[in-house]
Amino acid sequence: MKNLAIYPGSFDPITMGHLDIIHRAANLFDKLIVVVMVNPVKHCSFTPAERVSLIEQCVGGLNNVTVEYSDGLLAEYAKQKNATAIIKGLRALSDFEYEFQMALTNKKLNPDVETLFLTTTAENMYLSSSMVRQIATMGGDISGFVPDVIHKQIIKRLKG
């Protein structure tokens, strides 16, 4: 498939910002794989299988989107899938420096894949998974930050 993109992340948990990027990327490509990646520096609240399941519940109506898990290098995963693009979401200028460095590294490791940056919408630019976890853990209302379909599961895990 010529137009296959990968949207990687830890998605711990998926937020409305992530979902916005997924919808927009799905409109740009024939197929989009949302891949839950392992970040050895992050301590996650949800297992990889749980994160895959949460995302699948949110993207069920998008026929060209699949969800997978990988614990390897993103550049190698993209090569295995014959992806033409890696999608990265940017919230603020501070995201760009790190993501730019990663894009250059992935291009060196896999010259056949391009990294495309999608900027978040204004209403999601402050939103992060870590913020959602912190608010939920402290009993705050995260209903506007995560998809309704998984809201109760997130609360149950993080508040409990």
Side-chain angles (χ1 to χ4, degrees):
M1 176 173 287
K2 175 79 173 130
N3 292 310
L4 168 64
I6 296 170
Y7 178 39
S10 54
F11 305 107
D12 186 46
I14 185 171
T15 69
M16 295 303 288
H18 293 130
L19 197 55
D20 173 61
I21 298 290
I22 290 169
H23 279 273
R24 290 166 50 210
N27 285 330
L28 295 172
F29 292 91
D30 296 329
K31 182 172 181 180
L32 177 67
I33 301 173
V34 179
V35 60
V36 172
M37 302 291 294
V38 170
N39 184 336
V41 204
K42 290 185 178 180
H43 169 73
C44 291
S45 298
F46 296 88
T47 68
E50 289 170 330
R51 288 179 274 154
V52 167
S53 174
L54 291 170
I55 298 166
E56 286 175 337
Q57 292 172 61
C58 298
V59 300
L62 300 172
N63 295 332
N64 65 331
V65 176
T66 58
V67 186
E68 297 183 7
Y69 162 75
S70 176
D71 61 359
L73 289 172
L74 177 58
E76 284 301 314
Y77 180 83
K79 191 179 291 185
Q80 291 169 5
K81 296 296 179 176
N82 294 315
T84 56
I86 295 170
I87 303 297
K88 299 299 275 188
L90 297 178
R91 291 173 298 194
L93 187 58
S94 57
D95 288 344
F96 180 75
E97 187 175 352
Y98 174 77
E99 295 299 348
F100 184 67
Q101 182 180 20
M102 292 303 301
L104 292 174
T105 303
N106 285 326
K107 186 69 172 171
K108 184 74 170 173
L109 294 172
N110 181 354
D112 297 326
V113 70
E114 297 292 339
T115 298
L116 302 177
F117 298 105
L118 293 179
T119 57
T120 187
T121 56
E123 61 265 21
N124 292 319
M125 67 186 298
Y126 63 90
L127 191 55
S128 68
S129 293
S130 56
M131 183 178 293
V132 167
R133 288 192 310 272
Q134 183 177 3
I135 293 168
T137 301
M138 299 179 80
D141 181 14
I142 60 166
S143 58
F145 305 148
V146 298
D148 289 340
V149 69
I150 61 170
H151 178 263
K152 288 181 183 175
Q153 294 169 71
I154 294 170
I155 292 297
K156 183 178 180 182
R157 166 62 56 84
L158 297 177
K159 193 175 178 193

